[in-house]
C-alpha cells in the first residue's frame, strides 16, 4: 500500500494550467498517481497507509527560492522555519558572487569576514569543505548527518573564484589566472553547481571586466548552466547595466537569470516598462533569459556594500584600515555623499533611507531599527560619522534595509512572462528584511487574493514550474506522476505573510502542510523534526 493519499485537493500543478480537483498518491518520495475528480466519478478511490483530507486547500509544487542566502543557515539551523514554513522546498545558494566554495584557507577567512552581514560569522559551522563538490556533500550530510530542512542548489560564486585566483586587487586577470578561473568554474559545474553568480557591485567580483566574465560564461554555457549576475547598477545606469548583461550572455551563448531584478532609486521611478521592453526585444530574438524578484520595495544588503570599490581593494582588512584613516575616510564620504559611489549604484546616498537591520556586536543594538540619519541626529553628529563608527566597531558587520524601491516597478516586473520568485532573504540581524520569512505567502496573499495582480495559477507557475525549468530539474516543480513529492498545501482564503518590518521573524499563516521528498517538514502548521532536504545537483543538458 502506498505511503500517503492527499484527498480532494484543488491541484494547481505549476504549469499555469487551470486547477483541478484530485486525489494525489505519494509513495517512496514520489507522486505515483493522480486521480482527477475521484469522488464525483464514483470510482474506486486510491488507498494508502495514511490519508490527508485536503478539502478547501490548494495542493501545489513546493516553492523554489531562486535567490537565497541560507548557505550557512541550512547547516546550523535544523528548524529553518524561515523557509520551510513558507512552503519553500528548494533554495538556490551561492548568490551575488560570494559564498564559501571553492576556497582555500586564506580565501575562506576573507569571504567569511566580507559576508558576515549576510550569513553571520559561521562560528557554529564546521567549515570542513573547500571545493564545490565537498560543500554539496556537506549539505547532503547536513545537521548531524541527517540532512537539511529543504533542498538546495548552488551557483559557483565568481567573486569567490576571483578572490581565490587573483585576490582582492582591482586589475585585469592575467591569461594564466583566467585559465585557472575557467578551470575552477568548470570543476564546480562538474561537481554539481547549476551555474555561475556574480556580484558586480561587490568586491572583488566587480573588478572583473566584461571580457573576463564572458570567458567564464562560455564555460557555463558548455555545461548547460546559467549566469546569474547582480549587475553593475540598480540605480543610475540601471538600464545600461541590464543591457550589458544581456549582451554579455548573448555573446557567450549562456542562459541569463537576472538576480532580484528591479529598478530602484528616484532616477528609476516608473521605468520598469523600459526594462521589460529591453528584455522582450532580446527574448523575441531568441535569448534565453529569466529573472527573479521579491514582492517588497526596500532592498537589503550590508552597510559596507555601499562603499566605493577602491576602498575595498585588497580585502576586508584593507577596507577597515582605510576607514580608520581620516584622510581615506573623507574620500569615502565624498564618494558616497557627493559623487555617488559605485557600491551605491552611482547615486549619492540618502542616509534617511538607510536603516540598520542588524549588527554583529550586541553593544551596538540601539542602532538597529533606526536610519543612519536618525541615529546621527540623536548623537548630534554627521551621518557619515555614524556610519563610519558602525563599520569600524562592528567589523563590517552591519546589515541594512535600503528604502529606495517603487511599488509600480515591483508590480510591473512580477507580471512578466519570465519572472520567478526569489526572497533574497538575509536571515541574520535583529530586524532582518521581512522578505526572508514572507516572500512566498505575500505573493499568494497580497498579489493574488487581495490585489488580483496575478491569478493563482499564474503565480504558482512563477514560483514552481518556471524556476524548475531554469534549473533544468526534470522531476520537480510540477505536479505530475513520477515527479518528486516536494509539495505545499495552503488555504487560498487565508494564506498571508506574517512577517512585518517591526516583527520580521513572524511565520506565515494559511500553510498547514509542506512535504519534501514525500515527508512532512511542516504538518498541521507546525515544523516537524524531519530533515529531508539534500543538495540538488546540476542535471544533464
Amino acid at each position: 500500500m502506498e505511503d500517503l493519499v492527499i484527498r480532494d485537493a484543488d491541484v494547481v500543478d505549476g504549469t499555469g494550467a487551470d486547477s483541478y480537483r484530485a486525489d494525489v498518491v505519494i509513495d517512496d518520495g514520489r507522486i505515483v498517481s493522480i486521480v482527477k475528480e475521484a469522488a464525483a466519478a464514483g470510482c474506486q478511490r486510491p488507498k494508502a497507509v495514511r490519508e490527508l483530507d485536503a478539502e478547501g486547500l490548494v495542493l501545489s509544487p513546493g516553492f523554489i527560492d531562486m535567490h537565497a542566502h541560507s548557505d550557512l543557515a541550512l547547516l546550523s539551523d535544523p528548524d529553518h522555519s524561515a523557509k520551510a514554513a513558507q512552503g519553500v522546498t528548494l533554495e538556490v545558494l551561492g548568490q551575488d558572487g560570494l559564498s564559501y566554495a571553492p576556497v582555500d584557507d586564506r580565501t575562506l577567512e576573507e569571504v567569511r569576514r566580507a559576508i558576515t552581514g549576510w550569513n553571520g560569522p559561521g562560528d557554529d559551522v564546521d567549515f570542513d569543505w573547500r571545493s564545490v563538490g565537498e560543500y554539496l556533500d556537506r549539505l547532503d550530510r547536513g545537521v548531524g548527518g541527517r540532512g537539511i530542512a529543504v533542498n538546495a542548489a548552488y551557483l559557483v560564486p565568481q567573486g569567490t573564484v576571483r578572490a581565490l585566483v587573483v585576490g582582492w586587487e582591482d586589475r585585469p586577470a592575467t591569461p594564466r589566472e583566467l585559465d585557472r578561473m575557467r578551470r575552477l568554474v568548470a570543476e564546480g559545474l562538474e561537481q554539481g553547481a547549476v551555474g555561475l553568480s556574480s556580484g558586480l557591485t561587490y568586491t572583488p567580483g566587480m573588478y572583473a571586466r566584461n571580457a573576463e566574465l564572458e570567458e567564464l560564461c562560455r564555460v557555463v554555457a558548455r555545461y548547460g548552466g546559467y549566469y546569474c549576475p547582480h549587475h553593475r547598477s540598480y540605480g543610475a545606469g540601471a538600464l545600461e547595466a541590464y543591457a550589458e548583461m544581456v549582451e554579455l550572455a548573448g555573446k557567450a551563448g549562456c542562459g541569463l537569470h537576472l538576480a532580484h531584478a528591479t529598478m530602484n532609486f528616484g532616477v528609476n521611478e516608473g521605468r520598469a516598462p523600459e526594462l521589460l521592453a529591453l528584455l522582450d526585444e532580446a527574448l523575441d530574438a531568441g535569448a534565453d533569459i529569466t529573472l527573479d524578484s521579491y514582492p517588497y520595495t526596500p532592498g537589503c544588503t550590508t552597510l559596507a556594500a555601499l562603499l566605493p570599490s577602491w576602498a575595498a581593494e585588497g580585502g576586508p582588512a584593507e577596507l577597515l584600515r582605510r576607514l580608520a584613516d581620516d584622510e581615506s575616510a573623507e574620500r569615502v564620504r565624498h564618494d558616497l555623499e557627493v559623487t555617488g559611489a559605485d557600491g551605491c549604484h552611482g547615486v549619492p546616498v540618502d542616509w534617511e533611507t538607510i536603516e540598520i537591520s542588524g549588527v554583529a556586536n550586541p553593544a551596538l543594538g540601539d542602532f538597529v531599527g533606526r536610519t543612519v540619519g536618525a541615529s546621527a541626529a540623536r548623537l548630534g553628529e554627521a551621518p557619515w560619522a555614524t556610519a563610519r563608527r558602525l563599520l569600524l566597531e562592528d567589523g563590517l558587520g552591519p546589515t541594512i534595509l535600503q528604502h529606495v524601491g517603487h511599488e509600480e516597478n515591483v508590480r510591473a516586473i512580477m507580471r512578466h512572462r519570465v519572472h520567478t520568485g526569489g526572497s533574497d532573504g538575509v536571515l541574520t540581524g535583529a530586524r532582518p528584511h521581512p522578505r526572508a520569512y514572507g516572500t512566498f505567502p505575500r505573493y499568494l496573499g497580497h498579489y493574488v487574493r487581495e490585489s488580483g495582480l496575478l491569478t493563482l495559477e499564474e503565480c504558482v507557475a512563477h514560483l514552481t514550474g518556471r524556476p524548475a525549468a531554469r534549473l533544468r530539474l526534470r522531476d520537480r516543480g510540477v505536479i505530475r506522476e513520477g515527479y518528486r513529492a516536494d509539495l505545499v498545501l495552503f488555504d487560498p482564503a487565508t494564506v498571508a505573510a506574517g512577517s512585518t518590518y517591526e516583527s520580521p521573524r513572524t511565520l506565515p499563516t494559511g500553510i498547514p502542510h509542506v512535504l519534501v521528498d514525500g515527508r512532512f517538514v511542516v504538518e498541521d502548521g507546525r515544523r516537524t523534526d524531519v530533515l529531508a532536504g539534500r543538495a540538488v545537483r546540476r542535471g544533464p543538458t
Side-chain angles (χ1 to χ4, degrees):
M1 188 174 287
E2 281 74 22
D3 295 335
L4 172 69
V5 58
I6 300 173
R7 230 182 257 301
D8 294 323
D10 292 322
V11 177
V12 178
D13 67 5
T15 67
D18 291 343
S19 64
Y20 58 86
R21 190 176 176 89
D23 293 350
V24 177
V25 183
I26 296 164
D27 189 55
D28 196 24
R30 293 188 180 270
I31 299 168
V32 296
S33 67
I34 301 171
V35 183
K36 295 184 179 181
E37 297 290 349
C43 62
Q44 180 67 38
R45 304 193 71 174
K47 297 186 181 298
V49 172
R50 178 177 177 184
E51 297 187 5
L52 176 63
D53 181 5
E55 183 72 39
L57 298 178
V58 167
L59 178 67
S60 84
F63 305 134
I64 297 175
D65 189 341
M66 288 295 288
H67 194 105
H69 289 285
S70 303
D71 307 49
L72 299 184
L74 280 167
L75 298 174
S76 61
D77 176 17
D79 181 75
H80 202 49
S81 285
K83 295 302 178 66
Q86 291 188 62
V88 171
T89 58
L90 172 61
E91 300 183 84
V92 185
L93 314 177
Q95 300 288 349
D96 295 324
L98 287 168
S99 190
Y100 306 96
V103 292
D104 59 13
D105 292 350
R106 170 190 61 82
T107 311
L108 175 60
E109 290 309 307
E110 291 170 343
V111 169
R112 285 181 65 181
R113 175 177 280 189
I115 55 176
T116 291
W118 293 355
N119 299 311
D123 294 337
D124 52 353
V125 174
D126 179 9
F127 288 86
D128 58 352
W129 67 85
R130 293 298 180 267
S131 71
V132 169
E134 289 168 347
Y135 175 66
L136 296 177
D137 290 343
R138 182 71 174 81
L139 289 172
D140 282 338
R141 296 195 306 276
V143 180
R146 297 189 300 125
I148 50 180
V150 302
N151 297 310
Y154 189 72
L155 296 163
V156 179
Q158 170 260 329
T160 300
V161 169
R162 198 171 211 274
L164 179 59
V165 176
V166 181
W168 298 72
E169 301 172 36
D170 184 0
R171 63 170 176 81
T174 67
R176 179 174 293 184
E177 289 168 340
L178 182 56
D179 187 56
R180 187 181 175 206
M181 286 192 285
R182 281 192 291 248
R183 290 198 306 272
L184 285 168
V185 171
E187 288 170 5
L189 291 160
E190 289 167 359
Q191 293 164 5
V194 295
L196 175 75
S197 77
S198 283
L200 300 180
T201 65
Y202 301 127
T203 57
M206 69 191 304
Y207 298 144
R209 281 57 167 179
N210 282 358
E212 177 181 316
L213 298 172
E214 184 181 328
E215 285 300 311
L216 300 184
C217 284
R218 291 184 188 279
V219 176
V220 176
R222 289 205 307 270
Y223 287 90
Y226 67 92
Y227 180 44
C228 180
H230 165 127
H231 51 271
R232 298 190 191 276
S233 175
Y234 290 82
L239 283 175
E240 292 81 1
Y242 280 111
E244 179 184 43
M245 294 298 101
V246 171
E247 181 181 10
L248 186 154
K251 287 180 178 178
C254 181
L256 176 66
H257 181 84
L258 297 166
H260 38 58
T262 187
M263 298 284 287
N264 286 337
F265 302 92
V267 294
N268 289 316
E269 186 171 1
R271 297 188 68 190
E274 297 175 58
L275 166 62
L276 301 181
L278 167 70
L279 300 182
D280 283 335
E281 181 179 0
L283 288 162
D284 292 344
D288 176 13
I289 302 173
T290 50
L291 57 85
D292 66 66
S293 76
Y294 47 83
Y296 297 86
T297 53
C300 175
T301 187
T302 63
L303 183 59
L306 305 184
L307 306 181
S309 58
W310 64 261
E313 185 177 2
E318 281 298 297
L319 173 55
L320 286 167
R321 184 189 64 77
R322 292 185 180 107
L323 287 171
D325 175 74
D326 288 343
E327 184 177 346
S328 296
E330 174 56 23
R331 285 185 61 201
V332 172
R333 184 206 64 78
H334 185 272
D335 280 4
L336 274 170
E337 296 183 348
V338 180
T339 306
D342 47 7
C344 198
H345 308 276
V347 178
V349 68
D350 177 357
W351 294 113
E352 295 300 333
T353 69
I354 308 302
E355 177 186 346
I356 303 299
S357 59
V359 291
N361 181 355
L364 301 172
D366 284 348
F367 291 92
V368 174
R370 294 187 172 98
T371 67
V372 172
S375 287
R378 184 169 59 94
L379 294 170
E381 63 186 15
W384 168 239
T386 302
R388 182 187 179 193
R389 175 208 308 270
L390 284 165
L391 290 163
L392 287 169
E393 294 184 10
D394 206 39
L396 308 181
T399 52
I400 62 170
L401 301 186
Q402 201 168 5
H403 296 273
V404 292
H406 307 284
E407 178 67 14
E408 67 271 32
N409 286 348
V410 170
R411 293 168 70 92
I413 290 167
M414 77 170 63
R415 287 188 53 82
H416 195 264
R417 53 177 161 152
V418 298
H419 171 265
T420 67
S423 70
D424 196 12
V426 172
L427 302 172
T428 62
R431 291 178 63 170
H433 197 303
R435 68 193 186 192
Y437 286 73
T439 285
F440 296 88
R442 180 168 168 82
Y443 269 119
L444 297 167
H446 182 67
Y447 288 102
V448 172
R449 184 182 63 247
E450 295 174 3
S451 75
L453 186 70
L454 297 168
T455 69
L456 183 59
E457 290 85 353
E458 284 175 332
C459 186
V460 168
H462 287 216
L463 306 181
T464 62
R466 190 176 294 165
R470 165 49 79 202
L471 295 168
R472 297 183 183 269
L473 303 179
R474 299 188 176 186
D475 62 353
R476 300 177 196 266
V478 174
I479 295 180
R480 190 170 291 163
E481 290 179 357
Y483 274 48
R484 292 275 185 184
D486 292 347
L487 301 168
V488 182
L489 281 155
F490 63 88
D491 183 348
T494 63
V495 62
S499 59
T500 64
Y501 294 101
E502 293 74 26
S503 300
R505 287 192 170 89
T506 305
L507 298 180
T509 57
I511 305 179
H513 304 291
V514 182
L515 294 89
V516 173
D517 205 31
R519 301 168 65 192
F520 284 91
V521 297
V522 174
E523 187 173 11
D524 295 324
R526 293 190 176 92
R527 176 72 173 95
T528 70
D529 62 0
V530 168
L531 295 171
R534 298 294 184 271
V536 174
R537 291 165 171 82
R538 182 186 59 84
T541 57

